[in-house]
Amino acid sequence: MRVLRFILGDQLTHTISALRDIGPDDVVLMAEVAEEASYVPHHPQKIAFLFSAMRHFADDLRGRGITVDYVELHADGNTGSLTGELLRAVRRHAADAVVATEPGEWRVEAMMGTWAEAAGVPVEIRTDDRFLCSRPQFAAWAADRASLRLEWFYRAMREKTGLLMEDGKPAGGRWNFDAENRKPLPARHTVPERRRFVPDALTRDVIELVRRRFGNNFGDLEPFGWAVTRAEALQALADFVTNFLPSFGDYQDAMKTGEGFLYHGVISPYLNAGLLTAEEVCQAAVAAYAADAAPLNAVEGFLRQVLGWREFIRGVYWLKMPGYEKTNALGASRPLPAFYWTGDTDMNCLRQAIGDTRRQAYAHHIQRLMVTGNFALLAGVRPAEIEEWYLAVYADAYDWVELPNVHGMVMFADGGLMSSKPYVAGGNYIDRMSDYCDACRYDVKLKSGVGACPFNYLYWAFLIDNAPSLQGNHRLGNQYRTLERFGPERRAALQAEAHAFLDALPSDY
Ligand code: FAD
Ligand code: DLZ
Ligand code: SF4
């Protein structure tokens, strides 16, 4: 009996369900395929990271005595699709059965549904238990809830896992330390240098392949400093826990020119590809708290992201897909401005966030949510266009995590399934949390007129334009009362200014 075990590019975990009970005659299949590498124009660092991590993982498996059939992108006969490679490999190895782990994306799950008939052998799809909340568990939690709120899910996950719990109660007596986690970075503050990794020969080969095949995609391929093995990813995690976690909470929402990583984990590509597991990164943070090496606000804030948001977002994805991506509650219909791909804008906050993204295939959460995301929402960009951008440009981007974050959290396209109000802000927020406004051509203090910060009038125009959908939202009551006081002429002037600004933004690049 020979079982073919198909491991996808984001399943690089030795304990993954598809590898359990592997027998001596079994073969592991891994394949670099054009379809996955080009369903969006991925950032070159993202492709290089994943292909290099896949090749290293295959070598690791071979080192453990496992037979691996690894199909490189340019291998003779490579069909360019996961299904095509699976069918070829079943024939090549005369496999009696196929075992795989459920994929991260419904598109791939639909593909897997065709495999048994096409291959003529039984196909077993196993649960991906690297997640701390399974798909059925999330569905059970969500049943009968009209709206899904992170806070309640997160508390249930803390109770279920016992992480940061003392005698059945949250450590420190509170579930939430968010209020302490909103500090801007002090002036002349030096952030410690981040541990990055020098590409080995294998990674350099992959970098050259990516340069030839995907070098025209948005994003700089080098310098390339990502960890590509589990051993390196563990070093990156240790570096984070020792040198950055203690200040993670304090500066979680801060932004600073030239400091792309600040005190963030910079571990999402490793978690999402499987080089690290959610459980071990949570345990590492909790151990730092237990050893007095990191304060509670930092560790709780970090746990909220991994145990809370990451699992919650994945739960929403599988609960609502497919179909979720088609909603457009605010009827947003503008094309994506060209500057998202070129970085060519006078709005310094956007230029910095997009520049960090181009250089690093990374921007931290607040840059994604409150700069590039906030602008797309205020501008009324078509959800599918901004979603494609986020899916392409970040090394950690996969449909299951990008889509609910962008469609739901940023664009409010689901009408508030995940958040009680849209995350919109004027320039004031960006000014408070960053140094971007100091070097901007626009004046953040000016609300309208020549030289005014566009976020300021876009903010009010967004609320006016979307009043039919949002006016009844009690969390926006203050804003709509303020708008009432503006009077009709001022409101019309704000709308005219915003629409003229948006109409003038080029979308071709
Ligand atoms: P840290 O700030 O150190 O947080 C630790 C970990 O928590 C992250 O590595 C991540 O695994 C998890 N996490 C935190 N917030 C979220 C969240 N909202 N959803 C899911 N996991 C979370 N994250 C992705 O992994 N892939 C994406 O494609 C992605 N797209 C996003 C798009 C938008 C518009 C927004 C607002 C957020 C998106 N996120 C995405 C979530 C978050 O921004 C990234 O996980 C985070 O910036 C990764 O950097 P880090 O490892 O330094 O995270
Ligand atoms: C993202 C990605 C890329 C760029 N390339 C491959 C690949 O060549 N082979 C592969 O198995 N997986 C790749 N992936 C990851 C898949 O897109 C991912 O497994 C699915 O989106 C499901 O999450
Ligand atoms: Fe961004 Fe406005 Fe500040 Fe310029 S002034 S950096 S556009 S928030």
Side-chain angles (χ1 to χ4, degrees), residues 127-346:
T127 301
D128 188 349
D129 52 19
R130 298 173 300 170
F131 288 90
L132 298 164
C133 181
S134 71
R135 286 159 55 174
Q137 282 165 348
F138 188 86
W141 175 82
D144 304 329
R145 287 172 200 258
S147 56
L148 306 176
R149 294 290 172 261
L150 176 276
E151 189 61 35
W152 308 119
F153 173 77
Y154 167 63
R155 291 182 189 187
M157 289 299 287
R158 289 270 298 274
E159 281 170 339
K160 177 181 152 188
T161 60
L163 285 164
L164 219 55
M165 298 292 289
E166 287 162 2
D167 301 327
K169 298 210 165 53
R174 274 158 58 196
W175 292 103
N176 189 325
F177 291 80
D178 264 1
E180 290 160 42
N181 290 356
R182 294 183 185 134
K183 298 189 181 77
L185 219 60
R188 287 191 291 281
H189 176 98
T190 309
V191 180
E193 201 173 324
R194 179 74 56 164
R195 170 104 206 249
R196 301 295 275 168
F197 299 86
V198 178
D200 63 6
L202 189 159
T203 302
R204 285 200 303 277
D205 279 353
V206 170
I207 287 176
E208 287 320 309
L209 177 159
V210 172
R211 196 190 313 284
R212 285 195 305 278
R213 231 353 238 283
F214 307 100
N216 291 331
N217 290 7
F218 167 94
D220 300 343
L221 178 53
E222 294 185 279
F224 180 95
W226 295 102
V228 291
T229 63
R230 172 156 170 80
E232 287 180 347
L234 285 169
Q235 288 169 29
L237 175 63
D239 177 45
F240 164 66
V241 170
T242 308
N243 298 315
F244 300 91
L245 177 63
S247 298
F248 173 86
D250 285 355
Y251 303 127
Q252 199 177 341
D253 290 359
M255 298 176 279
K256 188 171 159 70
T257 307
E259 291 287 357
F261 300 139
L262 287 169
Y263 288 92
H264 288 270
V266 199
I267 52 168
S268 46
Y270 314 140
L271 277 169
N272 296 350
L275 298 183
L276 297 176
T277 66
E279 185 172 0
E280 75 191 341
V281 309
C282 290
Q283 293 288 6
V286 171
Y289 172 64
D292 247 348
L296 187 53
N297 72 312
V299 175
E300 189 284 308
F302 182 74
L303 225 56
R304 174 177 293 272
Q305 308 310 313
V306 183
L307 183 63
W309 277 112
R310 186 169 187 269
E311 300 285 332
F312 179 76
I313 287 285
R314 192 231 184 197
V316 169
Y317 180 84
W318 285 108
L319 193 68
K320 294 291 169 187
M321 285 297 282
Y324 182 68
E325 80 287 7
K326 293 196 177 73
T327 55
N328 188 357
L330 300 181
S333 60
R334 284 188 184 268
L336 184 71
F339 67 69
Y340 275 81
W341 296 109
T342 63
D344 185 11
T345 167
D346 286 338

Side-chain angles (χ1 to χ4, degrees), residues 361-440:
Y362 175 93
H364 70 67
H365 188 69
I366 294 300
Q367 293 175 301
R368 298 187 204 195
L369 183 66
M370 299 310 292
V371 180
T372 44
N374 187 19
F375 188 86
L377 175 59
L378 292 178
V381 171
R382 278 194 284 274
E385 290 195 27
I386 186 68
E387 281 151 26
E388 188 197 9
W389 185 80
Y390 278 105
L391 189 56
V393 302
Y394 293 115
D396 58 23
Y398 298 85
D399 203 47
W400 68 266
V401 55
E402 171 274 325
L403 186 74
N405 269 299
V406 182
H407 197 79
M409 186 148 44
V410 162
M411 298 305 289
F412 208 69
D414 61 9
L417 177 78
M418 300 170 33
S419 41
S420 52
K421 72 176 177 72
Y423 280 96
V424 278
N428 262 351
Y429 175 86
I430 295 172
D431 192 29
R432 190 166 68 249
M433 297 313 301
S434 77
D435 62 356
Y436 296 151
C437 301
D438 302 346
C440 186

Side-chain angles (χ1 to χ4, degrees), residues 426-428 443-447 453-460:
N428 262 351
D443 185 343
V444 71
K445 301 276 185 284
L446 285 180
K447 304 297 175 211
C453 166
F455 281 85
N456 291 340
Y457 50 81
L458 288 175
Y459 174 81
W460 291 115

